[in-house]
Every structure is written in C-alpha cells, then in structure tokens.
Amino acid sequence: DSMGNIQWNRCYGGSEKEGLLDILEVSDGYLAACQSGSNDGDLLNSGYHVGYWNNGDPTADTWIVKFDFNGNILWQKCYGGSKHDNPTKIFATEKGYRVFNNTYSKDGDVFGNNSITDTYSDIWTFEIDSVGNLLSSQCFGSLYDESLYDGVFKLSDAQYAIAAQAMSYEWSCVEENDIVLFKITDTLIDGTSSNILPKIINAYPSPAQQVINFDNAGPFPITTSIIDPLGIKKDELLLSPGSNSIELINYCPGMYIYKYNARGQIITEKFIVY
C-alpha cells in the first residue's frame, strides 16, 4: 500500500527457471512478459516448446501471463520455438499486445529468423490479441548476432524505433558490439502507406466467414497474392475481370492482406476472416 505494507505476494512458474523481463499495467490487471523453461505448475497447457541446451538444461520460451489486481492468473501462454526465446518489452496496441524478444529458434511460432546458425540470435516481434491468440510474427536481423535489451520505443501502434546490439556486416557493423538503430512499420495499419493508384481489386465482405469475393475492375486477369496473419503466403490467385468467389475453408480467423501489381506499383489491401 502507500505506506509500504505488503498487501499480497505470490510466486508464479513451474519446476524450471522463470524470469520476469517486463510488466504492463492494463485496465483489469497486469500483463507479465517472462521467460520460462517449465512445462508444469502454472505453465500447464501453456504450449511450451520443448528444447534443450547442449548441457541438457531446457531452453526458455517467452511466457506471457495475464493476471488480475489480486494476482489471480486469468490466462497464460508460451510463445517461441525449440531454441531459446526471451522477451524484452511489451506494449498495448489497439489489437491487443506487441512483444519484442530475442530468439534463437527457427520453428514453432518464430518466422523468418535470419541467423546463419542457432548460436546467433535475431530480434523477434509478435503481436497477440487480448486473450493471447497469435496475430503476427516477424524477425529482424541478418546472418550473425542481433541482441535486444530495453531499446524499444513505441511511436504509435504502427511504428516502433529500435536500438539493438549487432555484429552483422550486412548492417554496416564493423565491430562485434556495434549499435544499430532502425524503425519498423506495420503497413497493415499505418496510414502513411496508402496506395497512390485507384483500387482495381476489391475484396468483400470483410469480415468474411465462408466465402469472399474479389472484384477485378480491370480488363485483364490479375495475379493476386494472399498473405496470412503470420506473414506467410497463403494463396496465389489469377483473378479474371469481374467477380471471383473464393471459399475460405482453409482460412483461420484473422487479418489477411492481398497484393497485386498495377502499372508497376505493388498495391496492398486487407480483409478479415472471422
């Protein structure tokens, strides 16, 4: 309380090591960004990705825990792969939460790790909704080592500035412990990335459930790529002039983007499946 008296205290975790890296106060409690190598205790059914160091110790996942103001766990989930993953910063967004991490993994929830071997780490960011469902996952880095500590600054839900430690020559680093500064942008929600040309392909309805229509207003067929919420190409369609109906049997709920080439410019739009 305001006088320094303990009102409650509690331990969280399992039979292996846990560490708290960042914590965020929200309207109904707290969101803790932790690392954990456990698959039991409070992490039961967390989705921990089993992995081991060379000495046999378990590697860590990023463990996100939501608990109320009295310390009761509301939900908890692990994110990562079979190698070591740990969070550094967590931010609230309009869609849920964005987490920044270091990762040595190239499987599981981790997509696009650039490191040449699993002895080097990449910077990894992922976004989840309000109950922990994974919305997107992306790595930043190069062939060698990039390490992120506390150097993440939120400019908006769409833009973050990052200061990291790097030894990547591809990033013009000349020493093993150079500092690299860069900015990332979520083009799905950043208004500065609007297209210059009029929209030729229009997708509706959005949100869609079973079928989505793509109207091609042009005189020729147009090849259109669909990217899923994790940034992976889901489909490539050749859309004829007029209306084209696509069944969404294999589409999970989430936000998708579709891209096509119009007069040499890549046009990017989005639709939602629920």
Side-chain angles (χ1 to χ4, degrees):
D1 61 16
S2 61
M3 300 300 294
N5 301 305
I6 295 176
Q7 295 185 318
W8 61 265
N9 73 87
R10 182 171 171 180
C11 286
Y12 302 89
S15 57
E16 299 294 339
K17 295 178 181 178
E18 281 78 40
L20 175 66
L21 281 302
D22 198 14
I23 191 166
L24 180 69
E25 183 174 348
V26 293
S27 60
D28 56 348
Y30 302 96
L31 213 74
C34 315
Q35 67 177 41
S36 176
S38 300
N39 201 20
D40 55 7
D42 291 324
L43 286 97
L44 195 64
N45 300 319
S46 65
Y48 168 74
H49 301 80
V50 177
Y52 299 94
W53 295 103
N54 292 335
N55 63 6
D57 289 342
T59 54
D61 263 7
T62 289
W63 182 39
I64 304 298
V65 189
K66 173 71 178 294
F67 50 95
D68 64 23
F69 287 118
N70 294 316
N72 301 303
I73 293 179
L74 301 177
W75 59 264
Q76 53 86 26
K77 190 172 181 180
C78 280
Y79 305 87
S82 58
K83 299 300 179 180
H84 183 81
D85 313 289
N86 69 271
T88 61
K89 299 287 286 185
I90 186 169
F91 299 94
T93 70
E94 184 177 348
K95 290 185 287 185
Y97 308 98
R98 179 169 291 280
V99 188
F100 288 86
N101 316 258
N102 295 305
T103 183
Y104 293 83
S105 299
K106 294 190 175 184
D107 53 8
D109 301 318
V110 182
F111 294 91
N113 190 326
N114 303 277
S115 301
I116 192 170
T117 71
D118 59 18
T119 60
Y120 297 116
S121 66
D122 245 18
I123 296 166
W124 173 43
T125 182
F126 64 85
E127 193 167 18
I128 56 177
D129 65 16
S130 60
V131 292
N133 297 309
L134 188 66
L135 299 177
S136 66
S137 170
Q138 187 171 354
C139 288
F140 297 92
S142 193
L143 297 178
Y144 298 101
D145 204 48
E146 290 81 33
S147 298
L148 184 61
Y149 298 95
D150 292 327
V152 186
F153 307 92
K154 182 179 179 180
L155 307 177
S156 69
D157 275 5
Q159 293 190 332
Y160 295 82
I162 297 174
Q165 179 177 291
M167 59 173 292
S168 298
Y169 302 111
E170 293 86 348
W171 284 18
S172 300
C173 298
V174 295
E175 300 290 345
E176 289 190 1
N177 296 317
D178 270 6
I179 301 299
V180 60
L181 307 175
F182 63 99
K183 183 170 71 173
I184 65 170
T185 299
D186 184 347
T187 57
L188 289 178
I189 60 176
D190 179 36
T192 63
S193 301
S194 59
N195 300 310
I196 299 173
L197 297 175
K199 186 187 297 186
I200 299 176
I201 305 294
N202 183 51
Y204 67 94
S206 181
Q209 188 170 20
Q210 297 177 332
V211 174
I212 189 165
N213 301 302
F214 290 93
D215 279 358
N216 178 359
F220 305 107
I222 295 179
T223 300
T224 302
S225 299
I226 299 178
I227 312 300
D228 71 12
L230 298 179
I232 300 172
K233 182 186 286 188
K234 175 73 175 178
D235 213 341
E236 189 166 270
L237 312 171
L238 183 62
L239 301 178
S240 301
S243 182
N244 303 260
S245 295
I246 307 298
E247 293 187 356
L248 300 174
I249 298 174
N250 297 318
Y251 282 67
C252 297
M255 180 182 294
Y256 292 77
I257 63 174
Y258 62 97
K259 301 193 296 185
Y260 58 94
N261 190 315
R263 302 178 189 174
Q265 180 186 342
I266 301 299
I267 305 295
T268 303
E269 301 289 349
K270 62 186 176 182
F271 65 91
I272 296 172
V273 176
Y274 70 95

